[in-house]
Amino acid sequence: MATAAAHRPPGAQAHGAEDTAVIEAYTRRFDAAVAADERIEPRDWMPDAYRATLVRQIAQHAHSEIIGMQPEANWITRAPSLRRKAILMAKVQDEAGHGLYLYSAAETLGVGRDELLDKLHSGRQKYSSIFNYPTLTWADVGAIGWLVDGAAITNQVPLCRCSYGPYARAMVRVCKEESFHQRQGYELLLALSNGTPEQHAMAQDAVDRWWWPSLMMFGPPDDESQHSAQSMEWKIKRHSNDDLRQRFVDICVPQAESLGLTLPDPDLRWNEERGEHDFGTIDWTEFWEVLKGNGPCNEQRITQRRKAHEEGAWVREAAAAHAAKHTGEQTGETGATRA
Amino acid sequence: MFPTAAALALGDDALVLSHRLGEWAGHAPVLEEEVALANIALDLLGQARVLLSMAGDEDELAYLREERAFRNLQLVEQPNGDFAHTIARQLYFSTYQLLLHAELAAGDGPFAPLAAKAVKEIAYHRDHAEQWTVRLGDGTDVSHERMQRACTALWRFTGEMFQPVEGLGLDEKTLTAMESAWLDSVTGVLGRAGLTVPDGPRGGAWAAGAGRQGVHTEPFGRMLAEMQHLHRSHPGASW
């Protein structure tokens, strides 16, 4: 994390009262820019807390892309057709790419990717709790595409208008690819649902297991969400957790019908008066347990990530040592000098 | 008559190596390599699908043949090992595959259109393998040693690449020329990496052409068991 001094605008060397006056002036300008829906860019002054919130959120988002590769990669080697295998490989590759965009966006705020990865590996930064659930059958790959990516898109589309420019622009690119993945997941489930009785049962079982965790992706209820109010004020967030969750449920119900699958909620029904669906109560105990690290795969996910990083250390060291030996040389000339 | 055996040989190479690279997903040493290895795996899977479709139904061929019916080189079925093993395997195979496809693209046989498209992908794969071979060979002492060990360990699988394949239309003379171009190219890269060209045999009588005859190494059966399990558990299902 950069120090407060580093955020001070150039020329602002004042102390005490004068310093406070300068900060106040910059704060007013920042607040006005946010109010006018202008984008904040990396060189602009911003409050320390705004920077810290963005670092936390973007890093967590990047980590989620990276950890999120695991549950799906779990099925790459077992994909049941070559077409599905190609789609899944491309998707997992896109997720690594999204991780890269997002770490770059975070770096514009003055943190390094290595530092963020360290925090992920040591548990000081989190990733989306959804990826702590296991992929037990092939249909889970479809349920993740349809529900998990669907929930992610519902969350992320408003982020395309987020007040921080680099994050908003990363989201535009990410959302395009995510919607593609979501359609593919839906289509995978549709094929299973219309397939053999065993395939249909596999699809229903996956939806039964992924439905509630997907609703939890929108975060705690509005009255328990600690960062929400400030994030909405800063226009990082545009809608409340509960609003987005409701929107997601309303989108999913007709999709489940056309898939020929049911959603595992006996309280789910259309409410004519509200013009929205009523739905059952989320198991918040489970949510907080998973968040605390006690979900089914928390240990496994972080262990695999750490292992990949540790086992790759010698490769990264080699690349660095090679680059250091050959700085300034054209790659083509390397051979000539060593021959 | 369409050279089915040749389509299977080339298609199986691409299919099997793609599968091995897919095993890296989520385990790569750096994020950029997650992208690169998946990218190469996808290119190869694309090539495999075209080639297997030329020979029959791609899924039947991939999922319902047993080990002894696969025609891929033993090189591509070798387990990933550490990153150096994966890179050595990529260097050896992509150098061969580039030479082969350049040859096929220049001809007017049934593989010419596919080869013309694939050369562009393979040139990128080879560049990636070459750069990593040099980085690891000429990196730290540890990486140098690992890269050397990997190059040496896989050396014995490289002779098979220049055995004739039925229906591919490459005569003895062309294969010999390809083999010497392969040796020159690989020797050049290993030299730039400060690595020693292995001096062991490049496949004994027991190994020459073995994969192409359906005789594979032990890890291959396990790989297929994993790859085919789900498909075989639901006979006749579509996905």
Side-chain angles (χ1 to χ4, degrees):
Chain A
M1 186 49 110
T3 63
H7 305 164
R8 192 169 297 153
Q13 291 155 338
H15 297 281
E18 268 181 86
D19 191 47
T20 312
V22 170
I23 299 287
E24 275 172 9
Y26 276 96
T27 306
R28 274 196 302 276
R29 194 185 295 175
F30 171 84
D31 289 344
V34 169
D37 269 333
E38 283 169 30
R39 288 279 161 82
I40 307 299
E41 296 297 335
R43 288 165 163 280
D44 294 340
W45 186 91
M46 62 189 85
D48 287 348
Y50 177 83
R51 188 184 298 271
T53 290
L54 278 168
V55 167
R56 183 182 49 77
Q57 184 173 338
I58 301 173
Q60 178 169 325
H61 195 159
H63 299 333
S64 302
E65 297 284 356
I66 302 313
I67 298 283
M69 293 167 71
Q70 290 184 29
E72 294 178 286
N74 183 36
W75 281 93
I76 286 179
T77 54
R78 291 175 289 170
S81 75
L82 297 185
R83 174 171 166 266
R84 293 290 177 196
K85 187 173 183 165
I87 290 172
L88 184 56
M89 271 186 182
K91 180 178 180 191
V92 174
Q93 184 193 17
D94 281 349
E95 279 156 7
H98 296 171
L100 284 169
Y101 303 159
L102 286 160
Y103 285 120
S104 299
E107 285 183 331
T108 65
L109 292 160
V111 286
R113 195 214 290 185
D114 291 349
E115 187 186 340
L116 298 177
L117 280 172
D118 254 5
K119 288 188 173 159
L120 169 66
H121 297 151
S122 60
R124 283 174 294 155
Q125 281 180 343
K126 297 198 179 305
Y127 54 87
S128 176
S129 62
I130 192 77
F131 301 120
N132 292 314
Y133 289 87
T135 46
L136 302 178
T137 72
W138 169 250
D140 290 32
V141 171
I144 289 184
W146 177 43
L147 294 173
V148 174
D149 292 340
I153 294 163
T154 309
N155 264 327
Q156 289 169 12
V157 164
L159 285 172
C160 297
R161 294 183 296 122
C162 146
S163 60
Y164 188 59
Y167 192 27
R169 290 189 288 274
M171 280 303 101
V172 172
R173 298 179 64 180
V174 168
C175 283
K176 278 183 197 157
E177 290 174 350
E178 292 290 0
S179 345
F180 195 59
H181 299 159
Q182 202 239 355
R183 282 205 297 277
Q184 287 170 331
Y186 179 89
E187 195 253 331
L188 190 164
L189 282 181
L190 190 63
L192 294 180
S193 182
N194 294 333
T196 65
E198 291 79 11
Q199 286 177 306
H200 182 91
M202 191 193 278
Q204 184 61 59
D205 168 60
V207 169
D208 290 348
R209 282 181 290 107
W210 287 92
W211 172 248
W212 290 107
S214 302
L215 293 191
M216 295 178 197
M217 285 176 71
F218 296 92
D222 291 347
D223 49 10
E224 284 176 56
S225 177
Q226 55 173 129
H227 303 291
S228 274
Q230 181 64 80
S231 289
M232 303 239 322
E233 208 167 294
W234 277 329
K235 294 192 183 169
I236 295 172
K237 236 179 128 128
R238 298 278 182 161
H239 310 279
S240 82
N241 293 352
D242 288 333
D243 285 352
L244 289 171
R245 190 169 8 244
Q246 179 70 56
R247 187 179 299 183
F248 178 67
V249 170
D250 291 335
I251 291 169
C252 285
V253 170
Q255 290 181 349
E257 272 166 29
S258 54
L259 276 172
L261 298 170
T262 58
L263 296 171
D265 180 358
D267 297 326
L268 184 68
R269 66 180 57 85
W270 178 251
N271 181 325
E272 192 67 53
E273 214 169 292
R274 292 202 299 127
E276 291 172 331
H277 289 86
D278 291 334
F279 56 98
T281 313
I282 290 171
D283 182 350
W284 293 112
T285 312
E286 174 179 323
F287 173 80
W288 294 113
E289 279 303 305
V290 178
L291 217 63
K292 270 193 286 182
N294 303 324
C297 300
N298 299 59
E299 185 60 33
Q300 175 190 330
R301 299 288 186 243
I302 205 69
T303 300
Q304 181 181 324
R305 181 84 271 288
R306 279 197 208 118
K307 187 162 172 277
H309 191 75
E310 280 158 21
E311 286 177 359
W314 69 274
V315 176
R316 297 189 301 276
E317 282 156 19
H322 179 76
K325 281 189 224 178
H326 299 280
T327 28
E329 283 178 45
Q330 295 286 323
T331 356
E333 288 167 5
T334 316
T337 55
R338 293 184 54 90
Chain B
M1 208 187 85
F2 182 78
T4 304
L8 281 182
L10 304 191
D12 288 351
D13 282 351
L15 177 72
V16 170
L17 185 54
S18 165
H19 185 96
R20 285 297 189 205
L21 291 173
E23 293 172 352
W24 270 104
H27 299 272
V30 60
L31 216 38
E32 284 79 355
E33 282 308 296
E34 294 284 3
V35 179
L37 296 173
N39 205 317
I40 296 169
L42 266 172
D43 286 344
L44 289 167
L45 185 53
Q47 294 167 15
R49 294 182 65 191
V50 174
L51 285 156
L52 294 182
S53 300
M54 289 165 93
D57 178 89
E58 60 175 31
D59 286 338
E60 264 176 45
L61 288 167
Y63 291 99
L64 299 175
R65 273 182 300 160
E66 296 195 4
E67 193 179 332
R68 294 279 282 112
F70 274 81
R71 293 290 177 262
N72 55 284
L73 297 164
Q74 289 187 348
L75 174 68
V76 295
E77 75 203 28
Q78 293 313 302
N80 289 334
D82 65 8
F83 190 68
H85 274 79
T86 292
I87 291 300
R89 192 182 59 197
Q90 284 303 112
L91 178 73
Y92 292 166
F93 181 72
S94 60
T95 303
Y96 153 75
Q97 208 195 8
L98 189 58
L99 288 163
L100 174 69
H101 283 71
E103 196 65 50
L104 296 174
D108 54 6
F111 301 112
L114 164 98
K117 176 174 181 282
V119 224
K120 292 174 201 147
E121 295 169 349
I122 303 163
Y124 158 76
H125 304 169
R126 192 185 168 285
D127 186 49
H128 174 263
E130 174 176 356
Q131 287 196 40
W132 270 112
T133 303
V134 172
R135 261 184 222 124
L136 297 179
D138 182 32
T140 62
D141 289 347
V142 172
S143 71
H144 176 88
E145 197 194 315
R146 283 180 178 241
M147 194 64 223
Q148 183 67 61
R149 212 184 307 153
C151 287
T152 306
L154 294 172
W155 191 247
R156 66 198 178 92
F157 296 107
T158 58
E160 193 185 354
M161 299 188 287
F162 306 99
Q163 298 293 321
V165 174
E166 188 199 325
L168 208 49
L170 302 177
D171 57 23
E172 198 68 34
K173 198 174 141 225
T174 310
L175 285 168
T176 309
M178 271 173 56
E179 182 159 24
S180 93
W182 183 89
L183 269 171
D184 282 351
S185 176
V186 168
T187 302
V189 175
L190 297 189
R192 282 184 51 207
L195 296 162
T196 309
V197 178
D199 57 3
R202 298 184 36 242
W206 58 271
R212 294 280 188 239
Q213 314 297 323
V215 178
H216 294 278
T217 56
E218 284 184 353
F220 184 56
R222 272 173 206 283
M223 195 207 96
L224 281 191
E226 182 173 342
M227 183 174 104
Q228 298 181 336
H229 164 260
L230 178 59
H231 186 98
R232 284 182 181 270
S233 302
H234 296 264
S238 48
W239 301 91

